[in-house]
Amino acid sequence: MKGNLKKLWSVILAGTMLLGVTGCAAPALPGEETTPASAAQEAAAPESKAAEADAEGTEAPATVNAGEQDFTGVTVKVWGANDILNNADFEKYVAENGNGLTYEIVNADEVKLMSMVATGTAPDVWCLSAFSHGAMYAARGLYEPLTDYIANSDVFDEANFEDVENLYRFDGKEVGAGPIYGIVKDWSLDNQIWVNKKVFADAGLEIPDPEKIYTWDEIRDWAKACVEFDANGEQTRWGMGTTNNLYQLITGMICSVGKSMFSDDLSEVYIDTPEVRAAFEYWGDMYKSGAAISDMSTPGDWGGDSFALDKVGMLCCGYWFGNGTLAFNENAKDRMDDFMLIQAPSLDPANSANACMAGVGASIWSGSKNKEAAFKFIELYNGGDWARDRAITGYGNPAQTDLVELLPQNTEFQKQTYEANKFGMKNMITLKTNPYITAQGMESTFQQFFYEVLYERMTMDDAIVGMQEQFETLLAEGKEICGVE
C-alpha cells in the first residue's frame, strides 16, 4: 500500500504540472466551483484489486436487506451530487424513508479525496460519472462490488437496469462485464443534438429528421451556416455548443464506426489512426471558423443560455437539457416548440452513434465502515419514489427500464423529445473506455496537443507522436497501480 501511495502522489504532482502546461482548467468536481489539478490522474488502489473480482464471482457482503435495518445514529458521508443533496425535499424524503440514517455532504477535490482514502476517512458514497469514473475507480479497488447488494434489494432488480449500467461493470479485463460497481441515477445520450428551429429557418436550413442519422460533416455544414457577424466583425451567432469535452467528443466520433483508441485487452493505446487525425482536424476547423463555441470565440457561456436567446443553432448535450434546463429558461419556456432533439451524428450514417458520455451514479467506497447504510442511501438516491419523481419531471433517462414510460409526454415538445430519445435508446452504443487511464488524463493530454496544433505551434505529426508517448506513459502508470502486467 505504501508503494501505491507514493506512486499516487507522484502522479498527482505530474498531473498538476500537466494541467499547468495546457492552460486549460479541469472540469469542476463535486463540491468545488473550480477544480485544482486533477488529483488522481491515477488513483491509489487498496490491497484488493477489482481484477480479483473476476468471472468466478465476488464475496457476498455480510448484509441483510438494507430496507429492513435500523440505521438510527448512522451518518452516511457523501461526495458529489450537491445539486440533489442540498435539497429540502430530498432531506425530508431521506428522513421519512431512511430507517433513521442521516447524510453529510463532503466537499473535496480529488487531491483531498485521495488523501482521505490514504487515511481511511473517505466518504462512504461517491456520486460521479459512470463514463469517467466507473471502471476507473473499480480497477483501483476503490469501489465496493454491489452485485450481491442488488440481489438482496427490494428496490433494484439487476434485470431491470438499462444498458448504461454497463459503464459500471468491470471484471478485471473488460469494461461492461463482471460485477457492478455503481448504480446510475439518471442519464442521457449525451451526443444527441438539440436544434433551434428558429435559427435554422433564419439560416435557410431545412428542419432535420429526428430519426435520421446525419454525418458529422453535415453537422459542420449546418453549424457554419448558422454563424453570423455584425457590421463591426463581431460574432453574434454560433453554430454549436456542447457540454462534452474533447476526449468525449473524439471517443464518440470514432466509436460511431466501431473504432477505439485501445486494444481489445486494453493493454495498448492507438493514437496515430485516420479517425483520431480526422477528429482533431474537424474540431480545429469548427473552432477556427467560429462554428463551435470555444475559447477562441464565445458568447459568454457554453451555449445553453445563448441557445434560448437564438444565438446558437445546435447543442450537443442530450435529453436531460430539455425538461431539466431549457424548460425553465425565461427566454425559452413559453416557446418550447422552437426547439427539437435529433440523433447523434456519426462518421458513417449507416451506424448509430447515440451514447452516454456521463451517466452520474453512486458507488460505495470499498473502505467504508457503513456499507449497508451506504447502500440504503443509494436505494433512496437512485431508486424508489425519488427515482419515479425524477422520471416524471424528465431530468434525464431513468436507469431502470420500467420507469422510462413515466418520462413526460404531455406537450408537443415533450412528445417530440420523448420519441427522439426513445429512438436513440434503441440504437445506443456503449463507448469503450480504458480504466487504467483516467478520463482527466485523457482530456488533459488531448487539450494540450490540440491547442498546440490549433495555434500552429506544432504540426499534426508531432502532436500525434507526443500524444502517443504521453498516453503510453499514463497507461503504464495506471496498470502498475492496478497491479496489471
Side-chain angles (χ1 to χ4, degrees), residues 91-363:
E91 291 174 1
K92 180 180 179 182
Y93 179 71
V94 171
E96 293 175 348
N97 299 279
N99 295 3
L101 72 78
T102 58
Y103 66 88
E104 175 186 330
I105 301 170
V106 175
N107 292 317
D109 60 27
E110 283 189 273
V111 174
K112 183 176 180 180
L113 179 72
M114 290 303 117
S115 178
M116 296 170 77
V117 168
T119 58
T121 60
D124 303 291
V125 175
W126 298 5
C127 299
L128 294 168
S129 160
F131 172 80
S132 298
H133 298 91
M136 187 271 285
Y137 277 149
R140 287 153 178 75
L142 294 173
Y143 282 161
E144 177 78 3
L146 299 183
T147 306
D148 293 308
Y149 287 86
I150 294 167
N152 290 326
S153 175
D154 288 335
V155 175
F156 299 120
D157 178 358
E158 185 174 340
N160 189 40
F161 286 141
E162 292 284 352
D163 289 345
V164 69
E165 194 64 28
N166 287 332
L167 293 173
Y168 268 123
R169 292 181 183 272
F170 185 58
D171 64 359
K173 297 178 181 179
E174 181 182 354
V175 177
I180 297 174
Y181 287 92
I183 298 175
V184 176
K185 176 173 60 68
D186 37 38
W187 61 285
S188 292
L189 299 166
D190 299 293
N191 56 352
Q192 286 190 319
I193 304 290
W194 286 94
V195 171
N196 184 318
K197 292 188 281 187
K198 185 176 179 181
V199 171
F200 264 48
D202 187 60
L205 297 170
E206 293 185 5
I207 303 302
D209 181 340
E211 293 189 356
K212 181 177 178 179
I213 307 299
Y214 293 97
T215 66
W216 276 104
D217 284 342
E218 288 174 298
I219 297 297
R220 175 168 52 186
D221 291 342
W222 297 346
K224 288 184 176 181
C226 290
V227 172
E228 269 193 353
F229 295 86
D230 63 19
N232 298 319
E234 294 293 323
Q235 187 165 354
T236 57
R237 198 167 69 191
W238 290 257
M240 175 181 284
T242 182
T243 54
N244 300 317
N245 61 36
L246 194 61
Y247 166 50
Q248 292 168 313
L249 292 168
I250 291 175
T251 301
M253 290 178 82
I254 68 176
C255 283
S256 71
V257 287
K259 301 293 184 178
S260 171
M261 287 177 277
F262 310 109
S263 60
D264 289 341
D265 64 0
L266 305 176
S267 65
E268 296 182 60
V269 59
Y270 306 127
I271 299 301
D272 192 3
T273 67
E275 292 78 18
V276 173
R277 285 177 176 267
F280 255 55
E281 292 169 355
Y282 182 94
W283 290 106
D285 182 28
M286 288 281 279
Y287 280 21
K288 287 181 179 179
S289 66
I293 296 171
S294 71
D295 57 0
M296 298 180 75
S297 172
T298 172
D301 66 334
W302 67 270
D305 287 336
S306 295
F307 185 75
L309 289 167
D310 304 326
K311 293 182 178 180
V312 177
M314 292 175 288
L315 293 179
C316 179
C317 62
Y319 176 78
W320 64 267
F321 176 75
N323 296 293
T325 300
L326 189 63
F328 296 98
N329 191 298
E330 291 295 326
N331 297 297
K333 65 181 184 179
D334 296 326
R335 57 183 192 96
M336 295 298 288
D337 290 345
D338 285 342
F339 311 100
M340 67 181 297
L341 183 66
I342 66 173
Q343 305 308 308
S346 175
L347 292 178
D348 179 355
N351 295 306
S352 170
N354 296 291
C356 178
M357 296 180 171
V360 173
S363 301

Side-chain angles (χ1 to χ4, degrees), residues 319 323 392 404-419 422:
Y319 176 78
N323 296 293
I392 290 169
V404 174
E405 64 182 21
L406 298 179
L407 293 171
Q409 304 172 58
N410 299 317
T411 68
E412 289 303 312
F413 169 81
Q414 290 173 343
K415 291 175 183 177
Q416 190 280 313
T417 54
Y418 175 86
E419 291 299 329
K422 181 180 179 181

